[in-house]
Amino acid sequence: MARSKVSPVNGNNKHDSSLQQYNDTDGHFSLVRNFRLADLVTIMNGVCGSFSIFSSAQYLLTNDDDYLLWALGLPLAGLMFDFMDGKVARWRKSSSMLGQELDSLADLVSFGVAPAVVAFAVGLRTYLDTVCLTGFICCGLARLARFNATVALIPKDAAGKSRYFEGLPIPSSLGLVAILSYWVRRGWVEGKQGIPGGLITLWGTPGGRGDIHPVSVVFGLWAAAMVSKTLRVPKL
C-alpha cells in the first residue's frame, strides 16, 4: 500500500527540499543517516519479500516443506509492514521522496516477485507458465509506476486520501498466495498430487514449450486487473 504522495500545490517545494537534503549530506552511509523511521519499516517489507524468494529457492533445492511454508507466510508479514509504514509516517509527521519510492519497490518484491516465485516453486514451471508469471510481475511493476505518476489526479476525500485505486492494488496478490497455501495443505503441488487442473499441451509434443497449467492463466488475468484503468477499487 503506497504512502500518500505530496499534493500538486506544494509538491515542487517538498520535492526540491528533499533533493537538497541528499545533496547537502556527504560522507559514508549518508543515505542510511537520512532514513526516516517509516523508511526502515518499509525496508522490512522488502526484507520479508526477499526472504520469501530465498525460501522458495531453498524448497526447490531441498524439497523441505518448511521452506515452502515460510515462502508463503512471509509476504503476509510484508503486508503488515506495508500498513505500518504509512501510519508511522503520519505519526512522526515525516515523509520523503525516498520513502515513497522505497514503498513501491518493496511492494514489487513482496507482492509481485515473491508470489510469482512461490508459484513457480509449487509447480507452475513450464515455459508458458513462466510467461504468465513474468507478465504478472511486469504488470505489477507498471501498476506501481502508474500510481506514482497519477495519484495526484485521483479524487481525494476530506482527509486528502485517494477515494479509490485504479486497478487492483498489488498487495491483492496475497489472494493468490492464500490459494497456493491451500494447495500446499492439500498436497496439490508438483511431485505430490499435482497442480489442480492438470497440464495441457497447446502445441508440439508433451513436455515441450507448448505445455501450460491452465491455472497459470489466473496470474495473467490478475495482471490485467492490476493495470486496468476502468476497474476502480474503493479504498477502505
Side-chain angles (χ1 to χ4, degrees), residues 69-88:
L69 293 175
W70 275 107
L72 290 162
L74 283 165
L76 180 59
L79 181 66
M80 295 172 60
F81 287 111
D82 192 35
F83 280 130
M84 286 172 57
D85 62 7
K87 295 183 181 298
V88 170

Side-chain angles (χ1 to χ4, degrees), residues 46 100-110 141 144:
Q100 295 164 13
E101 301 307 320
L102 278 174
D103 190 77
S104 292
L105 294 172
D107 283 357
L108 179 63
V109 174
S110 292
L141 174 63
L144 290 167

Side-chain angles (χ1 to χ4, degrees), residues 87-172:
K87 295 183 181 298
V88 170
R90 288 188 291 273
W91 168 54
R92 301 284 294 179
K93 297 182 179 179
S94 64
S95 61
S96 67
M97 297 296 295
L98 177 66
Q100 295 164 13
E101 301 307 320
L102 278 174
D103 190 77
S104 292
L105 294 172
D107 283 357
L108 179 63
V109 174
S110 292
F111 311 126
V113 180
V117 175
V118 76
F120 180 89
V122 165
L124 302 184
R125 305 174 189 172
T126 72
Y127 171 74
L128 291 179
D129 289 343
T130 58
V131 169
C132 291
L133 295 177
T134 300
F136 172 80
I137 295 171
C138 292
C139 285
L141 174 63
R143 191 249 179 271
L144 290 167
R146 181 182 67 184
F147 178 85
N148 289 345
T150 65
V151 66
L153 304 177
I154 297 177
K156 306 295 191 295
D157 59 17
K161 297 181 181 180
S162 301
R163 294 184 181 274
Y164 55 80
F165 293 108
E166 282 189 348
L168 284 179
I170 193 169
S172 68

